[in-house]
Amino acid sequence: MNDLESIRKEIDKVDKEIITLFEKRMDLVKYVVDYKIKNNMKVLDSSRENLIIEKNKNLLQNKEYSQYLEDFFKSLMDISKDIQEKILKENINE
Ligand SMILES: C=C(O[C@@H]1C=C(C(=O)O)C=C[C@H]1O)C(=O)O
């Protein structure tokens, strides 16, 4: 793989897969916040987040990416919490 155009085509394909999975994860997060609203729970669950980070870092084949994967999941979970907080707020204002 040395031609820039073909490498970028592969990146574009991977990005498409990421988008599908991103949407799927955030759709699931909406079910989580519905449950939390019904059960009067807080959005943040630090122990679950730490578990996710550790578990997923262990799945990594190339440990060189370890810190980057951690940063990636932290960002992903920050977005997830933003979505949940927004839904929570809308629910309070109803
Ligand atoms: C989705 C949840 O809410 C928050 C977001 C998480 C995530 O995006 O994986 C994990 C823990 C919580 O801080 C959850 O509690 O499962």
Side-chain angles (χ1 to χ4, degrees), residues 25-46:
R25 194 182 199 282
M26 293 311 161
D27 285 348
L28 289 168
V29 158
K30 287 182 173 174
Y31 288 110
V32 172
V33 77
D34 284 348
Y35 180 93
K36 287 179 176 175
I37 290 167
K38 285 192 188 92
N39 293 280
N40 210 17
M41 291 165 72
K42 288 204 167 103
V43 166
L44 175 66
D45 183 340
S46 301

Side-chain angles (χ1 to χ4, degrees), residues 32-78:
V32 172
V33 77
D34 284 348
Y35 180 93
K36 287 179 176 175
I37 290 167
K38 285 192 188 92
N39 293 280
N40 210 17
M41 291 165 72
K42 288 204 167 103
V43 166
L44 175 66
D45 183 340
S46 301
S47 58
R48 166 81 178 146
E49 292 199 8
N50 291 334
L51 204 74
I52 287 172
I53 290 167
E54 287 319 307
K55 198 175 56 176
N56 290 336
K57 274 165 85 175
N58 283 333
L59 293 175
L60 201 58
Q61 311 245 338
N62 184 348
K63 301 294 179 199
E64 192 188 323
Y65 298 141
S66 207
Q67 185 58 53
Y68 300 111
L69 188 81
E70 179 168 338
D71 295 345
F72 174 75
F73 271 96
K74 282 182 176 166
S75 298
L76 203 55
M77 292 189 289
D78 280 348

